[in-house]
């Protein structure tokens, strides 16, 4: 039986994180709507429609849940569809992981996530964080990276423009503003792997500076 279950392994950060966890010797399961290519044979793949995830997860026992779930309004097709993934699916996944006996949950969020924000995106991300806090995990790690850099399957125009400008913009973002700098998804994945299994109880926010330290940068 796996000790970690990961959702979002088909995405940028999750796709980088899964092999790291497996290489570290963790017993890992990934849950997805389609098979995840390139994973070691030791990784259990739970391939089901997302609405069936909670029932299947709750049947098993896990110590740690990790979410790299996330989409964009453009890719999802509407605000409601975006909310269905970044809030509703994430919450359902977390509740099922909690029911499986997990004490720790790690989730990728957004730098300015705030349930009181005027931005629909940031408000939804903030509501998702609140929902995770309400689950009652012994330890909750909310990862808030800046602009993620890495090779995605899909092209995102706004993101690519931001990446092109990031060397200049990153130089201007200093002090407390460093959390808005760009960051390699590989460093975020490495940091999340380090967080997995941390014993201290509580709810923790991790911005760029923390993530880079965890990743050994």
């Amino acid at each position: 039986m796996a000790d970690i279950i990961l959702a979002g392994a088909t995405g940028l950060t999750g796709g980088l994180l899964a092999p790291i966890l497996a290489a570290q010797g963790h017993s890992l399961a990934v849950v997805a709507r389609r098979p995840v290519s390139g994973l070691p044979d030791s990784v259990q793949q739970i391939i089901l429609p997302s609405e069936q995830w909670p029932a299947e997860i709750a049947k098993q026992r896990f110590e740690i849940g990790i979410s790299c779930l996330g989409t964009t309004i453009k890719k999802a097709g509407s605000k409601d569809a975006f909310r269905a993934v970044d809030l509703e699916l994430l919450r359902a996944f977390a509740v099922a992981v909690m029911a499986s006996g997990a004490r720790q949950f790690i989730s990728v969020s957004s730098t300015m996530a705030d349930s009181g924000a005027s931005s629909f995106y940031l408000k939804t991300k903030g509501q998702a964080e609140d929902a995770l806090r309400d689950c009652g995990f012994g330890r909750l790690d909310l990862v808030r990276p800046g602009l993620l850099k890495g090779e995605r399957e899909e092209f995102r125009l706004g993101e690519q423009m931001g990446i092109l400008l990031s060397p200049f913009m990153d130089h201007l973002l200093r002090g407390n503003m460093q959390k808005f700098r760009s960051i390699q998804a590989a460093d975020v994945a490495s940091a999340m792997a380090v967080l997995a299994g941390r014993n201290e109880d509580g709810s923790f926010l991790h911005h760029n500076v923390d993530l880079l330290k965890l990743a050994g940068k």
Side-chain angles (χ1 to χ4, degrees), residues 37-74:
S37 61
L39 292 180
D41 292 339
S42 61
V43 177
Q44 176 192 0
Q45 296 205 36
I46 303 170
I47 309 302
L48 290 169
S50 55
E51 60 269 20
Q52 296 179 26
W53 292 2
E56 184 62 30
I57 293 168
K59 292 178 185 176
Q60 304 190 39
R61 302 293 295 176
F62 298 103
E63 297 176 9
I64 303 166
I66 303 178
S67 171
C68 294
L69 292 169
T71 186
T72 63
I73 296 175
K74 181 178 180 180

Side-chain angles (χ1 to χ4, degrees), residues 2 13 21 25 29 44 48 54-55 61 99 123 138 140 172-173 175-176 179 184 206 208 211:
T13 304
L21 293 171
Q44 176 192 0
L48 290 169
R61 302 293 295 176
K123 181 176 182 178
L140 175 63
L172 298 177
L173 297 171
N176 290 335
K179 62 185 177 182
Q184 292 290 339
H206 306 280
N208 277 359
L211 296 172

